[in-house]
Amino acid sequence: MASQIQDRLTTDQDLLLMQEGMMMRKVRTRFWKKLRFFRLQNDGMTVWHARQANDIAKLTFSISDVETIRKGHDSELLRELMEEFPLEQGFTIVFHGRRPNLDLVASSVEEAQIWMRGLQLLVDLVASMDHQEQLDQWVSEWFQRGDRNQDGRMSFGEAQRLLLLMNVEMDQDYALRLFQTADVSQSDTLEGEEFVHFYKALTKRTEVEQLFEHFSSDGQKLTLLEFVDFLREDQKEKENARDLALELIDRYEPSENGRLLHVLSKDGFLRYLCSKDGNIFNPDCLPVYQDMTQPLNHYYINSSHNTYLLRDQLCGQSSVEGYIRALKRGCRCVEVDVWDGPGGEPIVYHGHTLTSRILFKDVVATLAQYAFQFSDYPLILSLENHCTWDQQHTLAQHLIEILGEQLLSTTIDGVLMDKLPSPEQLRGKVLLKGRKLSTIEADIEDIDEEEELEDDQESELDADPFPELDALLQPESQELTSGNKHIKKVMECPVSCLLICGNALAQTPSYIPGSSFLPSQAQYHLPAHFLFQDSATILCPDLSALVVYLRTVPFCSFTHSKENYYICDISSFSESKARHLVKEAGNEFVQHNARQLCRVYPSALRTDSSNFHPQELWNAGCHMVAMNMQTPGSAMDICDGFFRQNGGSGYVLKPEFLCDIQSSFDPERPVSLYKAQLLLVQVISGQQLPKVDSTKEKSVVDPLVKVELFGVPEDNKQQETSYVENNGFNPYWGETFCFRVQVPELAILRFVVKDYSWTSRNKFIGQYTLPWTCMKQGYRHISLLSRDGTSLHPASIFVYICMREDLEEDEP
């Protein structure tokens, strides 16, 4: 059971010192800073802590849960305490998923360096493990947990307790037979390799052995021809099946002789099925595989709502960590609510709530550092500007000075195109989305004022003659949805009225600090709906100039948008408004989203930062469906699963029928360009499922699997297996479901494993979500993820997937 980690534990000086343990200060807040004794355990995989060196310790974290180690200078919390603790003595442990960071302060710079180097070494070693090494490490961890008295041997009593920890309730006589078979030394204990044999007996995959024997003529091996037939007929690997078979045998067959003879043994067959090549997610869809040269409005864009919040919308903490976490999840549109702050420095928080405040310049500095670490495709900064003139000027300065070349401040090559630029053209650029004083066309025209006025007069009925009005009347994110009917009446007023309104707004004095938004509402006969909620908000030209391709405009109607707005204009919709439009005018919404970008944000009633399901809006081609990324749940599972494809770039190409401005597609009454598909899902078995409550040793789960299908309304279906009593270690279901899918191009599949309870709601164990277009057919393993989206390795379920055309459609 030796591994690289075990070897390093006895040779690496940093790891040796970490195993001795050190006193460090654990920092939760500016006021909670307590000394604790931290020690790396002998397994090299867990760190425990206690109040003092000799006190009872408890688990702090596992190395497999750690994503990276940051220096003290990069910690928002430790920077606040820099006068109390030198930043060089501090460091931050960053975990996968949504688990809060752990900030620690060592007694000296040297001790901090020891822990930073040692932890990063262990993290790198874990990340570099292949499947077999991960399995060996997992077996080693189970032995450590089962060996209660830590004497290096496991008695039968300890083995019985281990079975409960492993989530399986086994007949005592059967367990004893397995134990005695593995105990070749007849010492009534298991050591080293004996425990490995015991573990293999426990994890014997009868269903895989039966599958192997079905395809093998002698039940001992798969010949090259037999393996090719299996790959072609069952795994649907139609292209170059023979070359693929040779490659897989060379990769997964443990016997050198087997590799030379081009045959696959049972062990090799199981290794293949449990590998990335046997995974349900098509590996061809993991890197960037889509065309990234199409206009921005041809893509779904991974988007975040109120990105700065770590918890709820009323009292939650605001932190730059929210931006880092969102960017790590592949987010490409982040949101900033910015308000006037003390000392002339704009601040970010959820206005008129008790959420904490952070500096805007710290947010921009964080974006400058992390914007392109996880995806180099364009990042959209959605700006909700509530600042006065002076602080807007400061906003513009910070954006220009901190982002530098990353900030897109002019059109590509200074030329206005008849379509939006592509993600490829905008790689490495931050785009500001916000209000703008003029159109992009006006920004790049190089003509004198008289010619410009003549052109405006000639085209006043063909285009929006007063875009300043739209820009100044756009309260970003909080649309005037409740007053849409009134707005529509206003926008349909005679051109003469619009001329008056537009001329009023075009007056230079109205943009001077200290002047009013409009000298007199009555003087210009402006309806109340044309005034800002905060009439002191006057747009600063310096900030306006930084909005290049994403000018926010209010939505009045699809007809108005089509006749008055440009390709660079973008409207935001509340979830309720967007849902209403999908149901009442689905095809018009599709065509609107084929012409220009749109963003949908959660209801203001979601004060708990809950999420709506994005699928309904994706069906209509909505590009930026903003999610509260701090909140786990099925909605975020769908979002994460969908954007896992295409390199996790945050951009996914929409189906062709959602990019056509003449499209006839209606998500409420869909007709696919292709035939409907039948999806056959056989849920076969599960492996090493985790406990729902790890604190209850004797508690064993009763697992069931629910298969959920999301897409257009008539494709939304779900089916579930029966539950298996008292077996989370190797449950077997063997149940088959059939789904008819009308629009497979929009379908998403979610597998959820739950613990059955007859007294309450079934409890979540794990899940995996993926798009239909990225799903492999055949016998596949599904690696389960936690509620936070982190790996539950080695927990998985084994399924069979088959897709085919629905032949019943052709029948009269």
Side-chain angles (χ1 to χ4, degrees):
M1 290 187 291
S3 68
Q4 291 187 60
I5 290 179
Q6 293 299 319
D7 293 340
R8 292 295 189 100
L9 287 173
T10 58
T11 58
D12 187 272
Q13 192 62 34
D14 290 333
L15 298 184
L16 288 170
L17 291 172
M18 289 166 64
Q19 291 174 78
E20 293 178 9
M22 298 179 193
M23 292 295 294
M24 291 188 287
R25 198 172 295 276
K26 182 179 179 181
V27 183
R28 286 183 179 171
T29 68
R30 286 180 295 173
F31 311 105
W32 198 102
K33 303 158 289 200
K34 297 187 179 180
L35 282 170
R36 294 290 185 264
F37 184 77
F38 289 86
R39 184 185 351 236
L40 174 67
Q41 298 301 292
N42 295 334
D43 61 4
M45 287 296 294
T46 53
V47 173
W48 293 56
H49 77 275
R51 290 180 182 272
Q52 298 294 331
N54 298 322
D55 288 351
I56 298 175
K58 61 180 180 179
L59 176 67
T60 310
F61 61 87
S62 171
I63 298 298
S64 58
D65 294 333
V66 178
E67 179 178 298
T68 191
I69 313 298
R70 291 188 202 149
K71 297 179 181 179
H73 294 85
D74 295 328
S75 168
E76 187 177 20
L77 178 57
L78 294 181
R79 284 200 303 267
E80 294 179 7
L81 300 171
M82 59 187 300
E83 294 184 2
E84 188 174 351
F85 305 114
L87 287 175
E88 294 78 9
Q89 291 177 211
F91 60 96
T92 302
I93 299 170
V94 181
F95 299 100
H96 294 290
R98 297 176 177 83
R99 180 175 174 177
N101 297 342
L102 175 60
D103 288 298
L104 298 174
V105 178
S107 300
S108 66
V109 175
E110 183 182 359
E111 289 186 0
Q113 291 295 323
I114 288 170
W115 277 87
M116 289 174 66
R117 287 193 302 263
L119 288 173
Q120 194 62 58
L121 171 63
L122 293 173
V123 169
D124 292 341
L125 288 174
V126 169
S128 65
M129 286 181 179
D130 60 24
H131 176 76
Q132 189 58 46
E133 287 173 329
Q134 288 178 337
L135 192 59
D136 291 344
Q137 184 63 44
W138 198 71
V139 173
S140 177
E141 288 180 37
W142 276 121
F143 185 83
Q144 295 285 339
R145 294 177 67 181
D147 183 15
R148 199 164 192 174
N149 59 6
Q150 298 295 299
D151 63 353
R153 298 187 299 272
M154 186 178 296
S155 66
F156 180 63
E158 288 175 323
Q160 284 183 297
R161 172 178 171 270
L162 178 63
L163 290 174
L164 292 175
L165 291 175
M166 285 180 155
N167 218 353
V168 59
E169 189 174 274
M170 186 177 290
D171 176 76
Q172 183 171 332
D173 291 338
Y174 178 64
L176 181 59
R177 286 199 300 273
L178 293 179
F179 185 89
Q180 290 173 339
T181 301
D183 181 20
V184 294
S185 65
Q186 297 184 346
S187 61
D188 293 331
T189 60
L190 301 180
E191 302 178 44
E193 289 303 314
E194 291 178 331
F195 178 76
V196 174
H197 290 303
F198 178 65
Y199 175 82
K200 285 185 175 180
L202 289 173
T203 56
K204 183 178 180 180
R205 297 285 300 276
T206 304
E207 78 281 15
V208 174
E209 289 187 2
Q210 291 174 348
L211 182 64
F212 178 86
E213 291 167 1
H214 175 74
F215 292 102
S216 169
S217 58
D218 63 3
Q220 300 299 313
K221 65 182 180 301
L222 284 176
T223 65
L224 178 59
L225 183 59
E226 289 169 339
F227 191 37
V228 168
D229 286 343
F230 171 74
L231 292 176
R232 184 180 289 124
E233 301 302 322
D234 288 82
Q235 303 297 81
K236 310 301 180 186
E237 304 283 6
K238 299 296 186 182
E239 297 181 6
N240 304 317
R242 188 178 187 279
D243 292 340
L244 177 61
L246 289 169
E247 182 183 331
L248 295 175
I249 289 172
D250 190 56
R251 186 177 300 163
Y252 299 114
E253 173 53 44
S255 164
E256 183 178 351
N257 189 49
R259 294 195 296 272
L260 289 172
L261 296 174
H262 303 316
V263 297
L264 197 63
S265 64
K266 284 184 182 180
D267 284 345
F269 186 64
L270 179 59
R271 283 188 176 190
Y272 155 65
L273 289 177
C274 293
S275 72
K276 59 181 177 59
D277 291 298
N279 195 277
I280 192 172
F281 199 100
N282 189 343
D284 293 340
C285 297
L286 287 173
V288 174
Y289 71 99
Q290 295 180 335
D291 178 10
M292 302 299 282
T293 63
Q294 297 192 31
L296 276 181
N297 53 313
H298 285 193
Y299 297 85
Y300 296 113
I301 303 173
N302 196 351
S303 303
S304 166
H305 171 250
N306 288 356
T307 316
Y308 48 88
L309 289 177
L310 299 184
R311 294 192 297 274
D312 66 83
Q313 305 285 314
L314 296 180
C315 305
Q317 178 188 357
S318 301
S319 171
V320 296
E321 194 64 37
Y323 292 93
I324 299 173
R325 293 179 185 177
L327 293 170
K328 283 196 300 186
R329 301 186 88 89
C331 179
R332 293 286 87 191
C333 176
V334 296
E335 187 174 17
V336 183
D337 276 303
V338 62
W339 302 76
D340 281 359
E345 280 295 340
I347 56 174
V348 175
Y349 82 109
H350 197 197
H352 311 299
T353 68
L354 299 178
T355 56
S356 59
R357 277 79 161 155
I358 54 177
L359 293 176
F360 175 76
K361 65 179 180 182
D362 288 346
V363 171
V364 180
T366 299
L367 296 180
Q369 182 177 355
Y370 290 95
F372 304 105
Q373 282 193 14
F374 310 99
S375 169
D376 58 357
Y377 287 99
L379 176 67
I380 296 170
L381 180 58
S382 182
L383 187 69
E384 284 202 29
N385 170 24
H386 306 278
C387 291
T388 54
W389 174 286
D390 290 337
Q391 296 214 11
Q392 286 183 58
H393 181 71
T394 304
L395 294 178
Q397 282 185 313
H398 287 329
L399 289 167
I400 293 169
E401 294 172 3
I402 298 174
L403 294 178
E405 291 298 316
Q406 292 180 325
L407 180 65
L408 186 78
S409 56
T410 184
T411 56
I412 301 293
D413 298 325
V415 177
L416 186 71
M417 300 175 289
D418 59 355
K419 60 183 179 181
L420 286 171
S422 69
E424 185 63 36
Q425 289 176 296
L426 297 168
R427 284 179 93 151
K429 291 296 183 182
V430 177
L431 280 66
L432 189 63
K433 168 184 168 292
R435 290 180 285 127
K436 190 170 179 65
L437 291 174
S438 61
T439 62
I440 298 162
E441 286 85 346
D443 282 347
I444 64 171
E445 282 178 352
D446 188 20
I447 55 178
D448 60 54
E449 282 189 3
E450 290 184 6
E451 291 175 331
E452 187 173 339
L453 285 172
E454 289 176 6
D455 289 344
D456 283 346
Q457 290 168 0
E458 290 173 359
S459 61
E460 64 182 9
L461 296 178
D462 298 324
D464 184 3
F466 303 106
E468 297 85 358
L469 187 62
D470 293 337
L472 288 168
L473 298 176
Q474 171 67 359
E476 172 62 8
S477 193
Q478 299 301 324
E479 296 283 350
L480 300 176
T481 52
S482 62
N484 274 336
K485 292 181 180 178
H486 301 284
I487 294 177
K488 186 173 181 181
K489 290 180 181 178
V490 169
M491 298 311 292
E492 290 178 352
C493 66
V495 174
S496 58
C497 176
L498 290 177
L499 287 171
I500 295 174
C501 301
N503 288 330
L505 291 173
Q507 300 303 310
T508 303
S510 67
Y511 297 120
I512 299 175
S515 70
S516 60
F517 172 66
L518 289 174
S520 168
Q521 179 184 349
Q523 179 181 350
Y524 296 101
H525 310 290
L526 283 177
H529 296 289
F530 270 159
L531 292 179
F532 276 129
Q533 292 174 345
D534 179 5
S535 62
T537 302
I538 308 167
L539 192 56
C540 171
D542 291 344
L543 186 60
S544 168
L546 301 180
V547 176
V548 180
Y549 287 114
L550 302 172
R551 181 184 74 146
T552 57
V553 292
F555 175 79
C556 302
S557 70
F558 291 126
T559 300
H560 175 267
S561 295
K562 184 176 181 179
E563 294 176 352
N564 293 279
Y565 290 156
Y566 302 95
I567 58 169
C568 299
D569 292 334
I570 174 172
S571 299
S572 290
F573 304 83
S574 69
E575 63 172 279
S576 56
K577 177 66 176 178
R579 280 175 167 167
H580 175 77
L581 291 172
V582 170
K583 293 184 183 301
E584 299 300 322
N587 177 245
E588 287 185 274
F589 209 177
V590 167
Q591 293 182 358
H592 173 89
N593 290 330
R595 279 193 306 274
Q596 62 189 78
L597 289 164
C598 89
R599 177 176 178 269
V600 182
Y601 57 90
S603 166
L605 298 177
R606 295 184 181 273
T607 56
D608 58 351
S609 294
S610 60
N611 280 304
F612 58 98
H613 278 237
Q615 183 70 51
E616 185 179 1
L617 290 315
W618 288 339
N619 291 342
C622 295
H623 313 84
M624 291 175 266
V625 181
M627 308 293 289
N628 288 314
M629 291 192 166
Q630 69 271 39
T631 307
S634 59
M636 273 309 304
D637 292 342
I638 292 170
C639 184
D640 288 341
F642 180 70
F643 283 106
R644 187 174 291 116
Q645 63 180 307
N646 207 33
S649 62
Y651 287 84
V652 171
L653 193 61
K654 297 195 296 184
E656 289 184 12
F657 57 80
L658 293 180
C659 299
D660 180 6
I661 59 174
Q662 303 296 328
S663 176
S664 60
F665 181 77
D666 186 333
E668 292 296 303
R669 291 164 286 278
V671 177
S672 175
L673 296 179
Y674 309 99
K675 291 185 177 180
Q677 297 275 311
L678 288 180
L679 171 66
L680 189 74
V681 178
Q682 183 183 19
V683 180
I684 303 172
S685 62
Q687 297 77 43
Q688 289 98 62
L689 304 178
K691 286 178 175 288
V692 171
D693 187 351
S694 58
T695 63
K696 297 180 180 179
E697 281 191 10
K698 296 184 179 181
S699 173
V700 177
V701 300
D702 303 326
L704 60 84
V705 178
K706 178 184 287 188
V707 183
E708 300 174 336
L709 184 68
F710 300 95
V712 295
E714 65 183 81
D715 287 346
N716 291 331
K717 305 178 182 75
Q718 60 182 34
Q719 299 188 57
E720 68 179 35
T721 67
S722 55
Y723 68 91
V724 176
E725 190 172 357
N726 289 332
N727 188 354
F729 192 69
N730 54 359
Y732 179 82
W733 294 282
E735 298 184 35
T736 303
F737 307 126
C738 186
F739 299 90
R740 184 180 183 277
V741 187
Q742 178 68 28
V743 188
E745 304 92 326
L746 295 174
I748 293 177
L749 210 62
R750 181 171 184 252
F751 297 85
V752 193
V753 183
K754 294 192 173 185
D755 179 18
Y756 171 78
S757 173
W758 65 274
T759 59
S760 61
R761 294 180 63 183
N762 297 337
K763 295 181 179 178
F764 176 91
I765 294 177
Q767 67 85 29
Y768 192 80
T769 307
L770 76 165
W772 172 287
T773 53
C774 299
M775 188 161 53
K776 295 284 281 185
Q777 298 189 69
Y779 292 94
R780 302 291 172 180
H781 277 91
I782 300 174
S783 301
L784 295 178
L785 303 176
S786 71
R787 191 179 297 277
D788 272 347
T790 56
S791 173
L792 291 175
H793 179 83
S796 64
I797 55 177
F798 186 44
V799 300
Y800 175 74
I801 302 291
C802 181
M803 308 173 194
R804 62 173 183 263
E805 286 188 0
D806 184 5
L807 300 179
E808 291 183 6
E809 284 193 329
D810 297 331
E811 296 179 3

